[in-house]
Amino acid sequence: MKHLYDVPAPAKLNLFLHVTGRREDGYHLLQTVFVFIDLADRLQFELRNDGVICRQTSLPGIDHDSDLIVRAARALQKATGTAKGATIQVQKNIPAGGGLGGGSSDAASTLIALNRLWQTGLSRWELQQLALPLGADVPVFVFGQNTFAEGIGEAFTACRVPGHAYLVFQPRLGIPTPAIFTDPDLCRNTPLVTVQDVQQSLSLPISEASSLSQPAFFGHNDLEAVACRQHPGLQQLVDWLDVRQVKARMTGSGACFFAPFNSYEDALQVGHELEVALPAFNQGASVPVERIIAARGLVRHP
Ligand code: C5P
């Protein structure tokens, strides 16, 4: 029996994100494609037999009991009745408030790892049910495959995404998700697309219009217009990239943007060119760019 688990918690990107309606409880109905990338937090779980959940190195501003990792561990304890506990260490690499799902991914990796460490034997589907009350984005990280998602983001159809690479632009700005979803200007009636539309668009060859071997984007992100209106500095970033023929899109409710590339080498090369030009952009920017991250798409994660 293993006493120690060390697992990655990868970030996600939303290749597109359409808001197609709103439920009575205020949550929004979405259509989106989640892809996972190799930018990841690392979590380590050590078995305890006293039932205590001890989260070391906590995040600034988040108390122990409201930490999503702790809440995920307690939800699994409650669902299974196990008397076991864990000491948990986290190495954060995914920026918070970026639309990259870092907190949700940590919670999902906690459910998966502790289910193994405690030998509680829940199926992935059962873990997904435990995940949803923790946050709308947690179940997809338990699902663990690139997917077309519907509902509030919890109904999945796994889809094949080519082995793209990405540049992720991290602005010096964190956006709280509710600030975007509650904005009266948010478009909430984007027409539905089918999974066939999505799958076909993902298998299309490189856009001929692109000079940077960037794949064409499907759809759009309805949350992007709202985020750019609330934070005009984000639109400045999009325009700056556009002038350099880099088509970027926001992920989730922001504030990070990403640009897809057909190969990691292309992403690295363009990333280097942008790094050189970045100080000049940042000097005049109301929202400077903190980091440009080159990442590979993952086919599957634990
Ligand atoms: O579920 P989670 O805590 O991640 O969601 C944060 C907030 O984002 C919710 O309180 C809600 O305002 C908004 N949200 C939404 N529709 C979704 C997902 C999130 O309105 N599908």
Side-chain angles (χ1 to χ4, degrees), residues 92 94-103 170-177 250-251 253-256:
K92 285 298 287 180
I94 305 172
L100 298 169
Q170 181 196 338
R172 204 169 296 156
L173 172 74
I175 299 185
T177 305
M250 197 172 81
T251 174
S253 56
C256 288

Side-chain angles (χ1 to χ4, degrees), residues 26-30 104 132 134-137 151-153 177-178 181-182:
Y27 266 82
H28 290 78
L29 296 169
L30 311 174
S104 302
L132 188 56
L134 297 170
D137 277 356
I152 61 167
T177 305
F181 274 110
T182 54

